[in-house]
Amino acid sequence: MDLTTLEGRRELGQRIQSAIAESGCRSLPAFAERLGCSRALIYQYVKGEVLVQLDRLQEIAQATDRPLAWFLGVPGETFSGQAAALQAERDLLQARLSGTERDLAAERKRRSSQAEQSRRTLAETLRELCQSRRRGGDSEGLVEAAARWLEVAQELDDQQGVMEANLHLGHAWLNLANYGKAERPLNEALQLAVARRDAPTQYSVRQELIRALQAGGRAREAFAQARALASADLWWPRWGGLVAQAALAEQVGDLDAAEVLLQTASEVVEDSDAPLERKLVARTYLISNQVNVALAHGRYRDALQGCETMRASAAQAGLSDQLREATLNLGIASLRCGEVSVAARHFAQLREWGAFAGDQRLASLAQVFDSERLWRCRDLAGAKAAALTVLDEAVSFGAGQVLGEAELVLGQVYRYEGRTEEARHYLMRCQGRAERLELCRLGVAAALERALLDDRRAEAGALLADLANQAAATGYEDLEAEALLGRADRVPDPHESLLLALEARSLSEVCGYFWGVLGALRAEARAHLRLRRTDECADRLVAALRLAHSKLGDQRGRESISSELETRASLVAAYREAGELEHADRWEQLDLLAPLPSSRADRSE
């Protein structure tokens, strides 16, 4: 009798019913009461609906005075009782085991299906969360969500999810300026995109990889990725690859190539029949890179105009990252144009955004350029404190360019204080970092500051001449003006000094570089004084003071007019030597922070 089948269980049930009837029991319910079980269970045994457990079957055998082997259909007298009992027990246990295994398999399948569905629901929720945090610029939150999504996608063996989660994770680490951590997920996403022949994702990943390689100073590898993008048949990656190449050319100091690439990218964008909203996004990124090139040139008036256009375009396109980029560039351009109050507002706004979104890189960038503002206004203690804070914070997430900018400001502050060794320490670190990361403009700026440290006038003059030529060849027009001013203070011939200062002023006025114009007026005043042209010296000094008043106001403080104080003392001495005591007295008593006359004629009235 095979108890694992329904027929076998029914045969066993018939034997149980027959044994109960022959035992003299008046009914099945009475037998159930005698046996100590429910009526329903006895009926289920008899019908074969439930497999009788071995211990219960032994109780029925004892109650009906039948051998266990009889119930199991084992031949009676000729069969070994022990063997029959063992066989019967095995059959019964096997039947029970089979039933239990079926039940367990069904339960496991049910639970597995529920668990997989739960994981799929979780994966979809994490996908939406990643998209939301990316749109909102919450990079720290995006790291957390993307890492969890990647884990769930791997459990589901969902290669599409693994690819997308890696792309989000790489993007988040990039925004947090942790370029080392960004590369691995981006490379994994690229491998999956290539294997799946997913061209759109390949393009997206390559764009992110370009950023990571560029920030890590691996321009050649970044160019290769950018060229791969630009060679695509599709419109979107083609202009994106051209813009990426332009950004790399700007970084390594080839501004002419950058401008040509941006012009080509602009033609690709405008010739496309893409939807207007996608064109708007493309134009925003084009403008952003055009502004970056203008800033690299030192053409700050042009950069200001571009920033306003970029900010309006970014707001219309809903690009929060480009809106923040536009605000940062507005702050930098405003500062270099002498609009220090405007710059301060932009930098404060960026620090608030960075703190709100958990974007430490954005907050640090705003602070490092605000430290430059403080240095320009001669708040040396504030500038040092801000720059040192940036150094401490930026080390934690490896933002090389941010570190370099902070080191440059510290070098400038210490140079102004006359603390040559400290200045040289930070400037050498800045220059070394710029060379490793292929940040050409930052390297030239650091080299220029180091040259200004040199007290040996002839050697420093020659080095500054080389730097002026290098800046001119590269197109760094404001740095060229600064190098010319450095030379003006070091050449022995006052006529040559005056010509250098005039050239620097002309260049700075074209660029809209306020600090170059102010420095040039001061240098011209000193040159005229060396030529014993007291009236011309006084005119340039008045012009410098009026310019400083018009732009800086109360923010500059007395410390920022130290150059004018020194020039005034020399001018007073020159007037006295020339016997023009009235002018000497007027200049000696003049409050340099008060409104000033514009010419000698005004002063004599």
Side-chain angles (χ1 to χ4, degrees):
M1 183 187 302
D2 185 359
L3 296 179
T4 63
T5 65
L6 179 59
E7 290 77 7
R9 293 197 296 275
R10 283 177 176 172
E11 184 180 346
L12 175 59
Q14 291 172 0
R15 287 176 178 268
I16 292 173
Q17 186 175 17
S18 175
I20 292 171
E22 293 175 6
S23 70
C25 189
R26 64 181 184 276
S27 66
L28 292 178
F31 184 78
E33 186 177 352
R34 175 178 159 188
L35 196 64
C37 66
S38 69
R39 297 178 183 182
L41 187 59
I42 287 295
Y43 280 113
Q44 288 172 334
Y45 287 162
V46 169
K47 292 179 181 180
E49 294 176 353
V50 173
L51 182 63
V52 187
Q53 296 179 354
L54 183 59
D55 55 351
R56 180 68 72 184
L57 188 57
Q58 287 174 335
E59 291 176 2
I60 293 172
Q62 291 175 0
T64 58
D65 197 22
R66 295 270 185 168
L68 180 63
W70 180 85
F71 287 97
L72 298 173
V74 179
E77 304 301 330
T78 60
F79 188 81
S80 167
Q82 184 177 8
L86 288 174
Q87 181 62 43
E89 184 176 354
R90 280 197 298 271
D91 290 344
L92 191 60
L93 289 174
Q94 181 61 46
R96 290 175 60 193
L97 178 61
S98 298
T100 302
E101 285 180 340
R102 282 195 301 271
D103 293 344
L104 287 174
E107 181 66 16
R108 280 197 298 270
K109 184 176 181 180
R110 184 183 66 80
R111 292 187 179 183
S112 176
S113 177
Q114 287 181 342
E116 181 173 350
Q117 185 57 44
S118 296
R119 283 195 293 270
R120 291 194 182 282
T121 302
L122 176 59
E124 186 58 34
T125 302
L126 288 166
R127 180 200 302 271
E128 294 174 2
L129 182 60
C130 284
Q131 292 169 346
S132 173
R133 288 182 172 174
R134 182 164 179 169
R135 285 193 299 268
D138 181 3
S139 299
E140 288 185 347
L142 182 56
V143 165
E144 181 182 352
R148 182 70 182 107
W149 181 18
L150 178 60
E151 180 183 328
V152 174
Q154 288 170 337
E155 290 173 359
L156 291 168
D157 195 24
D158 174 12
Q159 296 302 295
Q160 177 74 21
V162 169
M163 180 179 68
E164 293 181 20
N166 271 315
L167 178 53
H168 278 297
L169 190 57
H171 175 83
W173 283 125
L174 271 178
N175 283 353
L176 292 171
N178 198 323
Y179 308 111
K181 285 190 175 181
E183 263 194 76
R184 180 175 178 180
L186 290 175
N187 280 321
E188 290 180 1
L190 183 58
Q191 289 175 6
L192 282 170
V194 170
R196 296 167 63 85
R197 299 183 181 179
D198 185 343
T201 302
Q202 285 186 50
Y203 302 144
S204 297
V205 176
R206 288 189 194 280
Q207 286 174 331
E208 302 287 15
L209 271 173
I210 289 166
R211 290 176 57 200
L213 294 167
Q214 181 180 9
R218 293 152 65 186
R220 182 174 298 178
E221 296 173 62
F223 266 117
Q225 295 288 351
R227 282 191 288 268
L229 273 181
S231 64
D233 294 331
L234 298 178
W235 165 78
W236 185 272
R238 200 144 38 91
W239 74 257
L242 289 166
V243 168
Q245 288 181 75
L248 288 160
E250 179 256 302
Q251 175 178 316
V252 300
D254 193 348
L255 301 185
D256 291 340
E259 289 171 332
V260 170
L261 286 161
L262 288 175
Q263 179 57 40
T264 306
S266 178
E267 293 168 2
V268 171
V269 170
E270 297 307 324
D271 287 347
S272 168
D273 57 357
L276 183 59
E277 62 272 12
R278 288 178 67 80
K279 276 192 174 184
L280 181 59
V281 171
R283 288 171 186 152
T284 303
Y285 281 98
L286 272 169
I287 297 168
S288 175
N289 281 271
Q290 288 166 350
V291 168
N292 289 339
V293 172
L295 289 173
H297 272 301
R299 297 170 186 166
Y300 298 113
R301 191 177 293 111
D302 293 345
L304 270 180
Q305 294 175 353
C307 284
E308 293 293 355
T309 304
M310 176 186 169
R311 189 157 65 166
S313 181
Q316 187 178 355
L319 296 172
S320 57
D321 60 333
Q322 290 304 295
L323 187 60
R324 292 191 290 269
E325 185 79 10
T327 304
L328 176 65
N329 288 340
L330 267 173
I332 296 170
S334 297
L335 174 59
R336 307 282 169 79
C337 286
E339 304 293 344
V340 292
S341 298
V342 175
R345 288 198 299 272
H346 288 312
F347 296 144
Q349 183 181 27
L350 285 165
R351 287 198 300 273
E352 289 179 6
W353 281 352
F356 177 75
D359 190 341
Q360 185 59 61
R361 175 181 172 276
L362 178 65
S364 294
L365 272 172
Q367 181 146 330
V368 77
F369 285 109
D370 198 48
S371 70
E372 179 190 338
R373 177 187 66 84
L374 295 168
W375 133 248
R376 296 281 192 185
C377 295
R378 298 300 184 258
D379 181 355
L380 305 184
K384 277 191 288 187
L388 287 169
T389 299
V390 170
L391 282 186
D392 291 339
E393 292 174 347
V395 166
S396 65
F397 55 89
Q401 183 172 5
V402 178
L403 289 167
E405 295 286 358
E407 289 161 348
L408 179 62
V409 171
L410 286 167
Q412 292 169 323
V413 172
Y414 283 120
R415 177 175 68 80
Y416 184 83
E417 289 182 330
R419 296 167 62 176
T420 304
E421 290 307 311
E422 290 95 331
R424 184 174 288 113
H425 166 74
Y426 282 110
L427 292 172
M428 287 179 66
R429 285 178 56 179
C430 175
Q431 192 171 359
R433 192 183 305 280
E435 290 171 358
R436 289 194 303 276
L437 299 178
E438 298 187 75
L439 299 169
C440 183
R441 180 183 165 89
L442 184 62
V444 173
L448 174 58
E449 289 294 329
R450 286 184 65 189
L452 294 174
L453 280 174
D454 201 333
D455 291 332
R456 297 169 298 176
R457 303 182 74 84
E459 290 84 345
L463 180 56
L464 287 165
D466 289 341
L467 286 168
N469 291 333
Q470 181 182 346
T474 312
Y476 300 151
E477 295 167 12
D478 59 329
L479 296 184
E480 180 187 358
E482 291 288 359
L484 291 171
L485 290 175
R487 285 188 63 204
D489 280 338
R490 285 163 176 77
V491 294
D493 183 357
H495 292 93
E496 184 181 359
S497 178
L498 181 59
L499 288 174
L500 289 167
L502 288 169
E503 185 180 356
R505 178 150 67 102
S506 175
L507 191 58
S508 299
E509 285 173 342
V510 171
C511 295
Y513 180 43
F514 164 79
W515 306 99
V517 174
L518 183 59
L521 287 170
R522 292 166 170 172
E524 288 174 42
R526 291 191 293 271
H528 280 302
L529 195 59
R530 288 168 64 194
L531 291 167
R532 308 186 74 80
R533 299 172 181 170
T534 50
D535 291 344
E536 288 83 351
C537 172
D539 285 338
R540 298 303 184 278
L541 185 54
V542 166
L545 286 165
R546 289 176 66 85
L547 182 62
H549 274 293
S550 68
K551 291 288 188 181
L552 303 181
D554 295 337
Q555 293 198 36
R556 67 194 181 111
R558 251 175 218 284
E559 196 63 30
S560 67
I561 61 167
S562 59
S563 178
E564 286 87 343
L565 289 169
E566 293 169 4
T567 306
R568 179 177 70 172
S570 299
L571 181 61
V572 168
Y575 272 131
R576 291 195 182 285
E577 185 178 346
E580 299 185 47
L581 302 182
E582 181 180 355
H583 294 310
D585 291 341
R586 285 182 179 276
W587 273 99
E588 192 169 40
Q589 295 168 13
L590 190 64
D591 180 2
L592 297 188
L593 291 177
L596 296 168
S598 59
S599 67
R600 183 181 177 186
D602 292 330
R603 291 193 301 275
S604 62
E605 290 177 357

